[in-house]
Amino acid sequence: MQERDLADCHFPVSDIFKRAISKIDFEPFKLSVEQIEHFHHFGYLTNIQIFDEQQVAILRSELSEIADPSHPKHDLFYEFHNNQSTDPETVLFHSLGHWRITPGFHDALWNPAFTKAASQLLGDKSIRFWHDQLFCKPANHGGVVAWHQDYSYWIRTMPMQHLTCWIGLDDATTENGCLNYILRQP
Ligand SMILES: O=C(O)CCC(=O)C(=O)O
């Protein structure tokens, strides 16, 4: 039987993602030298496919189940805000801790499309997961997360070796308000 709290499972609990153990398993997910250089030059890298369509469908379905505050594992969220927006006209769903609750969000942490890229971008190091986080901004009345810089309080490693992996579960386009990057001066 599966653990109630998937934080107690230190291995994938489903076959949603390809298992990668040996070096050769990770090969298809390897970033190119140009991609790594782009990251180091500009501070970001885009267009990395982390999930396929079927995996996105699973995660969306899991999310719609656990977004219900009466979900039996609701207590496992570290944070859960149905609406964190300061404007009553808009909605900003925000939660942390999905990886403890459903197989898809849990096993995504072992997804080689994510772990291989993260490891390479951090200089071919072993990687450690810090936290997951989910925002939902519904069409036409989505709330806003203001511009901010997280790195000032990300002091878990010395020297600083943190990475954010932003993944869209909806189509994110210029028209509907996708993520924007501000280029740092090299
Ligand atoms: O996606 C967002 O709206 C905000 C993301 C964010 O705050 C973060 O990754 O730290």
Side-chain angles (χ1 to χ4, degrees):
M1 207 182 81
Q2 205 169 71
E3 300 285 344
R4 177 174 187 278
D5 183 352
L6 297 182
D8 293 329
C9 299
H10 307 286
F11 43 81
V13 297
S14 75
D15 291 323
I16 297 170
F17 300 97
K18 191 172 162 40
R19 304 270 169 111
I21 296 158
S22 68
K23 211 171 164 189
I24 205 152
D25 299 334
F26 285 100
E27 211 52 37
F29 303 99
K30 218 169 156 184
L31 299 176
S32 67
V33 172
E34 290 73 29
Q35 286 174 305
I36 297 169
E37 280 174 2
H38 184 284
F39 176 77
H40 289 301
H41 188 73
F42 294 108
Y44 74 94
L45 184 63
T46 58
N47 293 325
I48 310 298
Q49 181 164 7
I50 301 291
F51 301 141
D52 64 26
E53 282 187 19
Q54 204 185 344
Q55 291 160 346
V56 169
I58 292 171
L59 294 173
R60 287 172 60 113
S61 149
E62 290 185 353
L63 174 61
S64 63
E65 283 170 31
I66 59 177
D68 176 357
S70 66
H71 187 277
K73 291 197 191 181
H74 192 79
D75 57 299
L76 296 178
F77 276 109
Y78 296 119
E79 273 193 49
F80 185 90
H81 309 274
N82 244 328
N83 192 2
Q84 215 173 18
S85 173
T86 47
D87 175 353
E89 301 295 313
T90 63
V91 174
L92 181 67
F93 174 99
H94 181 201
S95 53
L96 281 82
H98 324 83
W99 71 287
R100 300 176 66 183
I101 304 175
T102 64
F105 284 108
H106 177 267
D107 290 0
L109 306 180
W110 281 266
N111 175 11
F114 161 53
T115 57
K116 182 65 192 168
S119 164
Q120 283 182 280
L121 295 178
L122 290 173
D124 285 321
K125 304 263 174 39
S126 305
I127 55 160
R128 193 163 56 146
F129 167 65
W130 180 16
H131 74 84
D132 62 356
Q133 169 167 258
L134 219 142
F135 288 99
C136 302
K137 303 163 188 170
N140 303 319
H141 57 282
V144 169
V145 177
W147 285 109
H148 61 283
Q149 168 59 275
D150 290 310
Y151 232 134
S152 60
Y153 53 84
W154 283 6
I155 47 173
R156 305 266 152 163
T157 60
M158 289 291 168
M160 286 168 103
Q161 287 264 282
H162 296 78
L163 190 85
T164 289
C165 181
W166 187 97
I167 309 171
L169 296 182
D170 280 320
D171 287 340
T173 62
T174 313
E175 289 71 38
N176 73 8
C178 60
L179 177 69
N180 283 265
Y181 294 92
I182 296 179
L183 292 189
R184 72 171 185 211
Q185 292 300 321

